Amino acid sequence: MVGLVDDILRRGIESAASDVHFEPTGAGLVVKFRLDGSLKVVEKLPRALAENVISRLKVLGGLLTYRNNVPQEGRIDARPAAGRCVTDQRLSIFPTIHGQRAVVRMFYEDSGLSELSQLGLPEHIHSALVRLAGGNQGVLLLTGPAGSGKSTTLAALLRHILRRSPGKSIVALEDPVERHIPGVTQVQIDAHGEMTFPTALRSLLRQDPEVLMIGEIRDAETARIAVEAGLTGHLVLSTLHSGTPAAALLRLLEMGIEPYQVTSSISAVANQRLVRKLCEECKRPPAPSTGRREPVGCEACFQTGFRGRVLIAEMVHLDGRLRRAVLAKADLEELERIAAERGHMSLRQCGMRLVASGMTTRGELDRVCGPAEHGEE
């Protein structure tokens, strides 16, 4: 059992899986790797082994093996494999009707994505982020669902600020700390303990920081403190779960932030996603009948047809017209209409450029961004 679990985790690391799922079913235990954002079944274990596999994971994570009816979370000591540097492995156990479900999340030190220029951002967004990172106050929000690369972008921004202004006082509040950045004071937040985002923020503002990175704005109190910090001589970088930049602005208003505070503090909102790239080993020319590329599948890409991911992004700056709309508490449709009329490049338009270049497919773009609406490219 020790060898079986170790082998599954080793294979997950070698394939660069972001998560390894152990899902109980009526027939047994299904093992899945999350590869480039999508789950792939890699193993089906008999039901007789399921309990022992979960028990072994609990031992590795320092959890209680005799508690089977409550959620548990732990950490597995990271082990290097196939030249990949794994900085952390987080274990989560959850009871289900078929037994306990386990997920191991892998965190990698990826030097190839450490700099802002390496992220593949559109040039106008890269230039805007560089300009905003050189400022002394205001709030920059990154939006998108979990797993869309927001933490990687924030880390690259912090490294850029450090390189450009090595003497700046930079503090990052994270839950969890995914990658260590020399020169940045990083604080581990415990959402269920005493060190919460609001508690840490209130104290840190007395520590004379110049740049604050908040891993995620989750509640009204954190949002209020972040906005106030952005108004009082601090550069604040943070993330917010929302589908579009306009939706992020409305969410702040719904959290109780006054419209004049939103328009005075928020410098810009960037929205991003990760789309899978067609595998270079099995990629074929576009089909003559449709003119589109489709995934094929080979051993190199686990028969998915995709290998690696690339960033697509959009950014909205709060200019005069958009500020007036926020102050008037305009609805989502009105805010998005104003952004579109300014010549704003949407997330889908950014993705269609990658489709046209043969880097990804229309189907993959639809999977990430949703089906195209009437009138969209």
Side-chain angles (χ1 to χ4, degrees):
M1 191 56 57
V2 171
L4 173 63
V5 173
D6 286 353
D7 180 65
I8 291 173
L9 295 180
R10 177 187 56 79
R11 286 161 51 198
I13 295 171
E14 288 177 349
S15 61
S18 61
D19 303 83
V20 179
H21 289 228
F22 298 83
E23 299 183 2
T25 66
L29 191 67
V30 179
V31 181
K32 301 178 181 178
F33 291 170
R34 187 171 291 283
L35 304 170
D36 299 324
S38 295
L39 286 173
K40 173 74 174 178
V41 176
V42 296
E43 191 100 41
K44 293 183 178 180
L45 303 175
R47 187 175 179 82
L49 296 180
E51 186 175 338
N52 290 333
V53 168
I54 301 299
S55 293
R56 174 56 186 167
L57 287 169
K58 285 182 175 180
V59 170
L60 288 173
L63 304 182
L64 301 175
T65 57
Y66 58 85
R67 294 300 304 271
N68 300 331
N69 59 346
V70 295
Q72 296 190 64
E73 295 182 2
R75 173 182 290 167
I76 299 174
D77 288 338
R79 306 173 186 180
R84 291 187 177 275
C85 182
V86 180
T87 59
D88 203 359
Q89 295 179 101
R90 300 295 178 100
L91 171 65
S92 174
I93 305 289
F94 202 90
T96 75
I97 60 171
H98 293 299
Q100 297 172 90
R101 183 179 190 267
V103 175
V104 180
R105 169 153 287 189
M106 310 288 191
F107 296 94
Y108 302 92
E109 185 62 50
D110 194 343
S111 59
L113 294 175
S114 61
E115 301 297 331
L116 204 57
S117 58
Q118 298 172 327
L119 301 183
L121 288 162
E123 181 57 35
H124 69 284
I125 294 181
H126 175 267
S127 299
L129 288 177
V130 168
R131 185 173 63 256
L132 290 168
N136 294 320
Q137 69 175 37
V139 180
L140 169 64
L141 291 177
L142 295 180
T143 68
S148 59
K150 300 188 298 296
S151 296
T152 300
T153 302
L154 282 178
L157 272 168
L158 293 182
R159 292 189 184 97
H160 173 82
I161 294 171
L162 277 172
R163 189 173 61 252
R164 182 171 178 173
S165 306
K168 276 196 171 181
S169 172
I170 305 176
V171 181
L173 307 180
E174 303 170 74
D175 176 24
V177 175
E178 297 181 9
R179 47 180 66 80
H180 297 285
I181 307 173
V184 175
T185 300
Q186 294 176 273
V187 180
Q188 179 87 24
I189 295 299
D190 182 3
H192 305 291
E194 295 184 7
M195 182 67 88
T196 61
F197 278 114
T199 300
L201 271 172
R202 281 193 296 268
S203 296
L204 276 174
L205 289 177
R206 304 186 189 99
Q207 291 272 315
D208 191 30
E210 294 171 278
V211 180
L212 278 170
M213 192 276 269
I214 305 169
E216 183 185 347
I217 294 176
R218 298 175 177 172
D219 53 64
E221 189 174 4
T222 303
R224 180 182 57 77
I225 299 172
V227 165
E228 289 177 356
L231 289 170
T232 55
H234 302 85
L235 177 62
V236 181
L237 313 175
S238 189
T239 72
L240 191 67
H241 280 293
S242 69
T244 65
L249 297 174
L250 286 184
R251 189 172 176 204
L252 289 175
L253 296 176
E254 290 167 357
M255 286 180 172
I257 307 300
E258 292 295 332
Y260 75 89
Q261 291 181 312
V262 172
T263 58
S264 301
S265 63
I266 306 298
S267 301
V269 183
N271 184 32
Q272 64 180 62
R273 302 287 189 278
L274 290 170
V275 296
R276 294 180 295 172
K277 296 191 295 183
L278 283 166
C279 175
E280 293 296 333
E281 299 293 327
C282 60
K283 183 168 69 173
R284 294 177 183 173
S289 58
T290 63
R292 296 182 181 178
R293 292 182 184 270
E294 297 296 337
V296 179
C298 64
E299 290 186 6
C301 60
F302 282 81
Q303 305 300 326
T304 63
F306 297 95
R307 193 176 185 186
R309 290 188 289 178
V310 64
L311 191 66
I312 58 174
E314 61 180 339
M315 177 177 274
V316 167
H317 299 269
L318 267 73
D319 63 3
R321 188 178 175 193
L322 194 56
R323 283 194 175 97
R324 288 192 294 272
V326 172
L327 289 171
K329 296 185 177 181
D331 59 18
L332 180 62
E333 183 178 350
E334 175 67 12
L335 292 177
E336 292 187 340
R337 184 181 63 80
I338 292 172
E341 289 178 353
R342 294 166 51 202
H344 163 70
M345 179 187 288
S346 69
L347 209 59
R348 173 167 287 277
Q349 289 171 329
C350 181
M352 285 304 296
R353 290 188 173 189
L354 299 181
V355 173
S357 68
M359 188 173 292
T360 189
T361 68
R362 180 66 177 270
E364 172 64 7
L365 187 61
D366 289 343
R367 183 187 72 85
V368 172
C369 297
E373 297 181 2
H374 180 69
E376 283 190 313
E377 287 285 340

